[in-house]
Amino acid sequence: MGGAREVQHLVGLLLGTEDDWPRAYQALLGIVAPVRDADGTEHRFATERLTIEPFSLRAKPRTDLVIDRLAYWYYHPREWLKKVALMDDVYLLNSPFTFQRWRSTRRTAR
């Protein structure tokens, strides 16, 4: 039987100027970690506040999950979030795809 395995998870926080929510989230995450799954693997969690400036679509994300608290209000980070979701296999909470406006090309009769 092999030794217990440990996996580190880095959660990216894309934030505005708020400071209360991220501190509370980081404190709660510190309470629940580490988590052991059915296979005995221990999962540890850490957070990192993300900045996407200078803006580069070629930048590779360090996180597998991004909690987005910014793109709903500002257009700028949406393109980066869409890129990392589609091309870098990053999971998004508050995905910009959910509040994107889709315009119909079909015209309605008047």
Side-chain angles (χ1 to χ4, degrees):
M1 187 175 213
R5 200 172 135 220
E6 184 176 295
V7 179
Q8 298 286 337
H9 300 280
L10 184 60
V11 178
L13 303 176
L14 185 60
L15 307 166
T17 58
E18 63 190 326
D19 194 46
D20 54 345
W21 182 87
R23 281 199 283 165
Y25 178 77
Q26 290 166 324
L28 288 172
L29 197 57
I31 293 170
V32 299
V35 175
R36 189 175 305 242
D37 67 17
D39 297 329
T41 302
E42 209 170 73
H43 298 268
R44 295 185 179 277
F45 299 89
T47 61
E48 176 178 274
R49 294 181 186 210
L50 301 178
T51 58
I52 56 170
E53 293 183 289
F55 189 82
S56 173
L57 289 176
R58 293 183 182 178
K60 294 288 183 196
R62 294 176 359 107
T63 62
D64 293 324
L65 167 67
V66 173
I67 299 176
D68 168 35
R69 306 258 307 160
L70 184 63
Y72 181 79
W73 296 277
Y74 300 103
Y75 293 109
H76 180 74
R78 292 182 191 177
E79 302 311 314
W80 181 82
L81 287 166
K82 291 175 187 179
K83 179 261 182 189
V84 297
L86 295 172
M87 298 185 74
D88 298 313
D89 202 28
V90 173
Y91 187 82
L92 305 176
L93 290 178
N94 289 339
S95 169
F97 294 104
T98 61
F99 50 79
Q100 179 173 343
R101 268 181 143 170
W102 293 97
R103 294 180 189 237
S104 174
T105 57
R106 197 173 125 207
R107 299 203 182 241
T108 56
R110 292 186 193 242

